[in-house]
Amino acid sequence: MADKFKVVSLGKFGGGPLTAEKKELGSLSVEVELVAARCTTEDELIAAAGDADAILGGSRFFTRRVMEALPKCQIIATYSVGYDTIDIQAATDNNIIVVNNPAVCWCVEEVSNHALALLLATAKKLTIQNNLAKQGRWSEIRQILPPMAPIHGQTLGLIGCGNIGRMTARKAQCFGLTILGYDPYVDKSLAEESGINLVSSLSQLLNESDFVSVHAFLNEETHHLIGEVEFGQMKPTAFFINTARGPIVDEVALIKALHEKKIAGAGLDVFEKEPIAPDNPLLKMDNVVVLAHSASYSDTAIEVNSINPSQEVARVLSGKWPNNPVDGTVKPKTNLAK
């Protein structure tokens, strides 16, 4: 074991204190230098973590070039469930273990709450009403309310029925919503336990839903899963909600569908390119609620969600195999006990 380890924490939401990280890494029998860094380029990431033994947090700059510039790094442990911003093959080729964070119960709670908040905000036209009321245009609010269907008795379609999708379903039933789900990989009994009626095709879900909420994982299979054809299959009165990953949706097709009134509106926390460009047409649409990829945030969630990845880093640096490696075939830089 080394005399001292350097661990770099990247992009912790809100820049909160590294309390959980310090506690978990403090269990190691050697000194740990824990450094927080914000990196906006590959070069900044290399400068901050080039001599690191471990990295906490994901980054869109984890390219093959960066992996090759991390000679000491044994593990990259993300704070999130998703790891789509990391070149996993490049990490494996450079003997770096990538670990994601599936044990994020508070994240599941927050994202499911966020999805339902967007559902309510779009259905009740809260953004439009808020803006008019603040501008002193009270009398105009009644004019923009129609058409507005009731939420109870409507159908919510979930694309992806993992932990977050199922949590969303359980909460949505409190509003009297019927829940449909499309997920070729979920266990049917798990979906049914959460009140989800699984359908056999995405097109059926889109045809029958009044609200469509995305909770899928981003990979090659789901990239641009929702495009022009899919928006054409939705009801013109339906709302589209995405709290998963932006590239699951063809954003050009979404904008076109909104312009052509093929759907009624959208609630979006994620986008194909982040941060969203100032000239993006979505920012000018009254029927679109735009948020800044903040679905997983609460003060408690950020601290709790830091525990598991910190424990994974501590395991590897103490010579043990992690619990949640993305690629179990990776050959680590040091021998690890399983």
Side-chain angles (χ1 to χ4, degrees):
M1 186 179 291
D3 296 329
K4 181 179 180 179
F5 289 120
K6 178 178 179 180
V7 179
V8 175
S9 173
L10 300 173
K12 188 170 182 179
F13 208 128
L18 303 177
T19 306
E21 291 87 342
K22 290 176 182 177
K23 178 181 178 182
E24 299 302 330
L25 295 173
S27 65
L28 294 170
S29 58
V30 298
E31 182 183 352
V32 177
E33 179 188 2
L34 182 59
V35 180
R38 287 277 180 179
C39 303
T40 58
T41 66
E42 289 182 18
D43 289 337
E44 287 181 5
L45 181 51
I46 292 170
D51 60 345
D53 296 282
I55 300 174
L56 284 159
S59 168
R60 68 182 185 276
F61 304 110
F62 274 127
T63 62
R64 180 169 293 276
R65 173 176 174 253
V66 169
M67 297 297 181
E68 292 173 351
L70 303 174
K72 293 176 61 183
C73 186
Q74 298 186 54
I75 176 174
I76 297 170
T78 71
Y79 286 118
S80 63
V81 178
Y83 50 85
D84 48 277
T85 58
I86 301 174
D87 187 332
I88 301 299
Q89 188 58 57
T92 297
D93 292 345
N94 286 276
N95 310 106
I96 300 173
I97 304 169
V98 176
V99 175
N100 74 326
N101 188 14
V104 285
C105 57
W106 280 92
C107 174
V108 172
E109 291 282 3
E110 297 304 339
V111 178
S112 59
N113 290 341
H114 211 77
L116 290 173
L118 286 171
L119 184 155
L120 295 171
T122 52
K124 303 299 291 183
K125 302 183 181 179
L126 295 189
T127 300
I128 303 173
Q129 291 197 59
N130 173 75
N131 292 342
L132 289 175
K134 286 186 173 180
Q135 293 166 16
R137 298 161 64 186
W138 189 274
S139 61
E140 297 177 41
I141 293 176
R142 294 277 179 181
Q143 300 170 28
I144 59 90
L145 293 180
M148 182 182 290
I151 294 171
H152 67 276
Q154 300 281 291
T155 298
L156 168 62
L158 303 172
I159 300 175
C161 300
N163 290 332
I164 295 173
R166 296 197 301 274
M167 181 69 77
T168 303
R170 292 194 289 273
K171 294 175 180 178
Q173 291 170 75
C174 295
F175 294 100
L177 286 157
T178 297
I179 315 298
L180 300 182
Y182 173 71
D183 190 328
Y185 304 104
V186 74
D187 184 278
K188 184 178 180 181
S189 62
L190 283 177
E192 290 178 344
E193 285 174 7
S194 297
I196 301 171
N197 303 304
L198 287 177
V199 296
S200 59
S201 69
L202 178 58
S203 60
Q204 181 183 349
L205 180 138
L206 296 171
N207 282 323
E208 297 180 11
S209 297
D210 300 292
F211 303 94
V212 174
S213 187
V214 181
H215 300 282
F217 189 80
L218 175 61
N219 53 29
E220 291 183 1
E221 183 179 2
T222 61
H223 182 267
H224 280 194
L225 177 68
I226 311 298
E228 187 168 356
V229 171
E230 288 71 28
F231 285 119
Q233 294 171 341
M234 290 177 63
K235 299 177 182 180
T237 55
F239 293 94
F240 181 77
I241 298 158
N242 190 5
T243 55
R245 288 292 188 270
I248 294 173
V249 181
D250 181 342
E251 202 165 279
V252 172
L254 170 60
I255 292 168
K256 182 179 179 183
L258 289 161
H259 273 310
E260 296 178 355
K261 301 186 186 311
K262 290 184 177 179
I263 61 175
L268 307 171
D269 186 60
V270 290
F271 306 89
E272 280 210 68
K273 293 183 179 180
E274 297 177 2
I276 189 170
D279 60 349
N280 191 310
L282 293 169
L283 298 177
K284 297 179 174 62
M285 298 181 180
D286 287 339
N287 59 341
V288 178
V289 179
V290 174
L291 302 175
H293 202 149
S294 58
S296 63
Y297 186 82
S298 75
D299 294 346
T300 301
I302 293 307
E303 279 311 305
V304 172
N305 292 351
S306 302
I307 295 174
N308 188 63
S310 301
Q311 289 176 339
E312 292 281 59
V313 167
R315 283 181 63 84
V316 170
L317 294 184
S318 63
K320 300 174 184 177
W321 193 257
N323 292 320
N324 298 295
V326 174
D327 182 358
T329 69
V330 61
K331 296 179 180 179
K333 291 179 178 175
T334 59
N335 292 326
L336 301 177
K338 291 191 177 181

